[in-house]
Amino acid sequence: MPDDFERMWGDLAPVGRSASSGGYFRQPFASAERELAQWFVEQCAARGLRVETDEIGNAVGWWDVGSGPAVLTGSHLDSVLDGGAYDGPLGVVSALAAIDLMRARGVVPTRPVGVSVFVEEEGSRFGLACLGSRLASGALSWEAARELRDRDGVALGDVVPGAASSLLSSVGTFVELHVEQGRDLVDRGAAIGVASEIWPHGRYRFDFAGAANHAGTTRMEDRQDPMLTYAMTALAANKQARLAGQRATFGRVAVTPNGTNAVPSAVTAWLDARCSTDAGLAELVDAIGRQGSERADRDGTSLTVTAESVSGAVTFDPALAAAVAADHEGGAWPIIPTQAGHDAGILSAAGIPTAMLFVRNPTGVSHSPAEHAEVADCLVGVSALADTLDRLTR
Amino acid sequence: MPDDFERMWGDLAPVGRSASSGGYFRQPFASAERELAQWFVEQCAARGLRVETDEIGNAVGWWDVGSGPAVLTGSHLDSVLDGGAYDGPLGVVSALAAIDLMRARGVVPTRPVGVSVFVEEEGSRFGLACLGSRLASGALSWEAARELRDRDGVALGDVVPGAASSLLSSVGTFVELHVEQGRDLVDRGAAIGVASEIWPHGRYRFDFAGAANHAGTTRMEDRQDPMLTYAMTALAANKQARLAGQRATFGRVAVTPNGTNAVPSAVTAWLDARCSTDAGLAELVDAIGRQGSERADRDGTSLTVTAESVSGAVTFDPALAAAVAADHEGGAWPIIPTQAGHDAGILSAAGIPTAMLFVRNPTGVSHSPAEHAEVADCLVGVSALADTLDRLTR
């Protein structure tokens, strides 16, 4: 019943959407994201899926069928600030639609199937990506997580009661369907791909400290302006990553006091860095920090670099990827790497055999209101996910 | 009664002070600044000064004595974000203390004397410095001002009813006492100086537009990242100003969407620029804009520069400055230029003969929690202002 996909997609379209940019603001535990969570519960109920939640707010809708280790599939409903419609919701809606399709085809799995929604995958509120899956899988302790704070100073521990979770206790395999965030599938002329690996990546807080002063009366040579140190560091990060075929981005900045006529006392900026190897990532961040510190010496400022989260290389189960990708009508699905982190990477690192399906993205644009996938490709994705769940539950 | 200065100074010390930085947050029409405005009314009442206000919130406490054109003295009570204690309040407190001192000395002016407080001198809320004096003097129309908006989108017209004002109708001379914001008086070994001129200066909004995208999956060569264009422009501004002995500062930045894992779609930054000549200022801003646009071409981004306010050169009445500075015990006070804008500059440009007194600042630091003046120098300032008012009202 492919119709169901489009109806569900239409349900979600207006929720948390900015009228000015057309982008989405679905930060965790805030109204838009909570509306989506409630929508998910209703969709599960409409399908007779038993909803199980944990303290942190992750949810699974269980199709209680068969026995043995369950196959879990799903994604997330939160977004980056001003994000696109597909990153996250496509995997949840496709999972529900895939169950509809399996049932329409008369498939009866021999194992339980679950549809999952993990909270705070983007880290847009508490700064740590894949927060829900890290806590549910035990990769992160509640003691470490409870003190994470959002931009208003609210602690995670003030928002949710704890992180107790048994959602993953019966899970034998995890499958996440996701819109592709690059153009590899376009280049290969394929609607569907399978993930081979996730590049190592991390978030690093760069604190530049200087001395506040009057922007008009302070001679240029008397200043200790951290904005200059930051500016040079941002350019250096770009150059380093370009030369090495890696990725480095300063997309978030906070200036103190942020007044037009004051030399700032401090600039804090966050580096997002990604490399094909763990060693390359460490070298990249070191090189950027070193160039920033050298400039700080010249500016009379200081730089402190703090790793807020670092995710090592994830190689998805190669036998599982090969089994998911092979022997399809029209040929095998391509197996490609990604530079983006996902809950699938956390669960894979926690020892759960995991696969990812990607749906073609015509422009490769993501984390943007312009993020897009064609409906026809999304419906191919639903069918591919149904096929995959069928294979894994025979 | 020099005691009065210190008592008043003590009254103001805690109002709007940040416990963490020690700096002041006294934005116009918000609680701390309104508390100071109320304090001013009470201080006027205690001295028998008749308080007159206008629609925008400027206030004068009148000592109704003598006849003819009045002599007005005062400053402002608002601060930059995280500013110092002296910039503004020193001139108001010194004016009240100077009246006390004149009365204690038995001086009876032949003309009315007023103590003024102009609102939003720093432009920290509505972005336009000297807002109150511009409106009171007719330099800015209410039609242009009412649509100015603060960072939350609130319009000035929603905060105050209008800008009708007759505060300046009887004023023949204006004198503003202010903490120095540089170190010229330290270099000259003088506690008091007189202003010769204010450098031309302006605020310019730089809007850098690019394309939002995923920070991990977007190849460096596929990006249109406005952060890079901004960073290069900030460094170029510094270099241009350094080479020319001028001033250029990017102290305020707003990033959209400001997420760690998203290439920004837009960066807006504000340039504060100051030069010794009007032509030099125009050249400086042009050169910075040109370098930014050239970089934008390479980055696939765009740059739009909008002048939010530009103040031409102000030369204070030379005869008045000479008369104020000359023939003091211990020698004449030095006459020095300043790079900072002041209400005194607006009133001077509006045709009111105007003088400024500066009080020595041991470090030159201003617009910072570290801004300071020694009590002994402040008391010399009170006496110097009383002497000046006495001279001007004989």
Side-chain angles (χ1 to χ4, degrees):
Chain A
M1 271 180 291
D3 263 350
D4 274 332
F5 175 88
E6 290 180 76
R7 198 165 61 236
M8 285 191 279
W9 201 248
D11 289 347
L12 301 189
V15 183
R17 189 163 188 256
S18 159
S20 55
S21 72
Y24 289 91
F25 290 82
R26 294 167 169 170
Q27 276 50 71
F29 316 113
S31 58
E33 190 257 8
R34 286 296 93 183
E35 187 177 335
L36 296 177
Q38 183 54 36
W39 171 90
F40 176 71
V41 168
E42 291 162 9
Q43 289 293 323
C44 288
R47 286 168 176 79
L49 306 179
R50 173 179 55 85
V51 175
E52 179 184 359
T53 58
D54 63 13
E55 280 189 328
I56 195 73
N58 300 313
V60 174
W62 289 111
W63 182 6
D64 291 314
V65 60
S67 62
V71 175
L72 193 66
T73 184
S75 190
H76 62 94
L77 293 171
D78 65 307
S79 76
V80 296
L81 301 170
D82 209 21
Y86 297 81
D87 182 348
L90 184 64
V92 177
V93 171
S94 297
L96 293 166
I99 287 181
D100 294 343
L101 188 59
M102 291 169 78
R103 287 169 168 176
R105 289 173 178 171
V107 172
V108 180
T110 61
R111 299 195 204 177
V113 174
V115 178
S116 60
V117 175
F118 290 105
V119 294
E120 179 73 307
E121 194 268 352
E122 298 290 3
S124 68
R125 179 161 176 193
F126 291 101
L128 184 60
C130 303
L131 185 61
S133 59
R134 285 180 204 268
L135 287 166
S137 66
L140 177 70
S141 73
W142 177 239
E143 286 59 45
R146 66 189 306 164
E147 276 306 311
L148 291 172
R149 289 179 187 274
D150 69 11
R151 294 175 201 218
D152 296 325
V154 177
L156 180 63
D158 296 331
V159 176
V160 292
S165 183
S166 57
L167 293 182
L168 299 175
S169 59
S170 66
V171 173
T173 312
F174 181 61
V175 181
E176 180 167 4
L177 178 145
H178 204 281
V179 66
E180 201 201 348
Q181 298 174 291
R183 296 182 302 166
D184 278 4
L185 294 178
V186 174
D187 292 348
R188 291 161 183 264
I192 300 294
V194 177
S196 58
E197 59 176 324
I198 298 178
W199 276 19
H201 57 280
R203 297 178 178 203
Y204 308 84
R205 197 179 69 243
F206 279 55
D207 288 301
F208 302 90
N213 217 325
H214 192 293
T217 57
T218 316
R219 287 176 279 217
M220 303 307 287
E221 58 269 30
D222 289 345
R223 299 176 178 211
Q224 299 164 264
D225 184 350
M227 187 71 87
L228 302 175
T229 321
Y230 163 64
M232 185 278 178
T233 306
L235 293 173
N238 183 268
K239 187 170 181 186
Q240 288 286 342
R242 247 186 312 117
L243 293 177
Q246 301 164 339
R247 310 280 154 82
T249 310
F250 279 102
R252 180 180 172 198
V253 177
V255 182
T256 304
N258 211 27
T260 303
N261 55 357
V263 176
S265 58
V267 173
T268 298
W270 283 260
L271 171 69
D272 180 302
R274 321 220 180 191
C275 285
S276 52
T277 66
D278 291 316
L281 179 63
E283 277 169 32
L284 174 65
V285 175
D286 279 354
I288 296 168
R290 203 163 48 243
Q291 285 190 268
S293 290
E294 286 168 10
R295 172 79 193 209
D297 287 345
R298 298 211 298 283
D299 289 337
T301 57
S302 67
L303 167 59
T304 309
V305 179
T306 308
E308 291 197 335
S309 71
V310 181
S311 301
V314 169
T315 303
F316 291 111
D317 186 313
L320 179 62
V324 167
D327 298 329
H328 293 282
E329 198 178 326
W333 299 333
I335 299 181
I336 58 176
T338 179
Q339 294 75 34
H342 295 286
D343 293 321
I346 302 299
L347 270 51
S348 177
I352 298 173
T354 295
M356 284 196 79
L357 297 182
F358 292 123
V359 172
R360 177 166 50 194
N361 178 332
T363 62
V365 169
S366 183
H367 284 190
S368 159
E371 182 182 81
H372 186 67
E374 297 296 337
V375 174
D377 285 349
C378 292
L379 297 179
V380 173
V382 171
S383 178
L385 182 57
D387 290 350
T388 300
L389 295 175
D390 188 6
R391 284 188 185 189
L392 297 175
T393 57
R394 290 230 167 147
Chain B
M1 268 176 294
D3 262 350
D4 273 332
F5 175 88
E6 290 180 76
R7 198 166 59 237
M8 285 190 279
W9 201 246
D11 287 349
L12 302 189
V15 182
R17 188 161 190 258
S18 159
S20 56
S21 73
Y24 289 91
F25 290 82
R26 294 166 170 172
Q27 276 50 70
F29 315 113
S31 59
E33 191 257 8
R34 287 295 93 184
E35 187 176 334
L36 296 178
Q38 185 53 37
W39 171 89
F40 176 71
V41 168
E42 290 163 7
Q43 290 293 324
C44 288
R47 288 168 175 79
L49 305 179
R50 174 179 54 85
V51 175
E52 180 184 359
T53 58
D54 63 13
E55 281 190 326
I56 195 72
N58 300 314
V60 174
W62 289 110
W63 181 5
D64 291 315
V65 61
S67 62
V71 175
L72 192 67
T73 185
S75 190
H76 61 95
L77 293 172
D78 65 307
S79 75
V80 296
L81 302 170
D82 210 19
Y86 296 82
D87 182 348
L90 184 64
V92 177
V93 170
S94 295
L96 293 166
I99 286 182
D100 294 342
L101 188 58
M102 290 168 79
R103 288 171 168 176
R105 288 173 178 171
V107 172
V108 180
T110 62
R111 300 196 204 177
V113 173
V115 178
S116 61
V117 176
F118 291 105
V119 294
E120 178 74 307
E121 195 268 350
E122 298 290 2
S124 69
R125 179 161 175 191
F126 290 101
L128 184 59
C130 302
L131 185 61
S133 60
R134 285 180 203 270
L135 286 165
S137 66
L140 177 70
S141 74
W142 177 238
E143 287 59 44
R146 65 190 305 163
E147 277 306 310
L148 291 171
R149 288 179 187 274
D150 69 11
R151 295 174 199 219
D152 296 325
V154 177
L156 181 62
D158 295 332
V159 175
V160 292
S165 183
S166 58
L167 292 184
L168 299 176
S169 59
S170 66
V171 172
T173 312
F174 181 61
V175 181
E176 181 168 2
L177 177 146
H178 203 281
V179 66
E180 200 199 350
Q181 298 174 291
R183 296 181 301 165
D184 278 4
L185 294 178
V186 173
D187 292 348
R188 291 161 183 265
I192 300 294
V194 177
S196 59
E197 58 176 324
I198 297 177
W199 276 20
H201 56 281
R203 296 177 179 206
Y204 308 84
R205 195 179 69 243
F206 279 55
D207 288 302
F208 302 89
N213 218 324
H214 192 293
T217 57
T218 316
R219 286 177 279 219
M220 304 308 288
E221 57 270 30
D222 289 345
R223 300 178 177 209
Q224 299 164 262
D225 184 350
M227 187 71 87
L228 302 176
T229 320
Y230 162 64
M232 185 276 180
T233 306
L235 293 174
N238 183 268
K239 188 170 181 185
Q240 288 286 343
R242 245 186 314 117
L243 293 177
Q246 300 162 340
R247 311 279 154 81
T249 310
F250 279 102
R252 180 181 171 198
V253 177
V255 182
T256 305
N258 211 28
T260 303
N261 54 356
V263 176
S265 58
V267 173
T268 298
W270 283 261
L271 171 68
D272 180 302
R274 323 221 178 190
C275 285
S276 53
T277 66
D278 290 316
L281 179 63
E283 277 169 33
L284 174 66
V285 176
D286 278 355
I288 296 168
R290 203 161 50 241
Q291 285 191 268
S293 291
E294 286 168 8
R295 172 78 193 210
D297 286 345
R298 297 210 300 282
D299 288 338
T301 57
S302 67
L303 166 60
T304 309
V305 179
T306 308
E308 291 198 335
S309 72
V310 181
S311 302
V314 170
T315 303
F316 292 110
D317 186 313
L320 180 61
V324 167
D327 298 328
H328 293 283
E329 197 178 327
W333 299 333
I335 299 181
I336 57 175
T338 178
Q339 294 75 35
H342 295 287
D343 293 322
I346 302 300
L347 270 52
S348 176
I352 298 174
T354 295
M356 284 196 78
L357 298 182
F358 291 124
V359 172
R360 177 164 52 194
N361 178 333
T363 62
V365 169
S366 184
H367 284 191
S368 159
E371 183 182 81
H372 186 66
E374 297 295 337
V375 173
D377 285 348
C378 293
L379 296 179
V380 173
V382 170
S383 178
L385 182 58
D387 290 347
T388 299
L389 295 175
D390 188 6
R391 285 187 184 190
L392 297 175
T393 57
R394 289 234 168 149

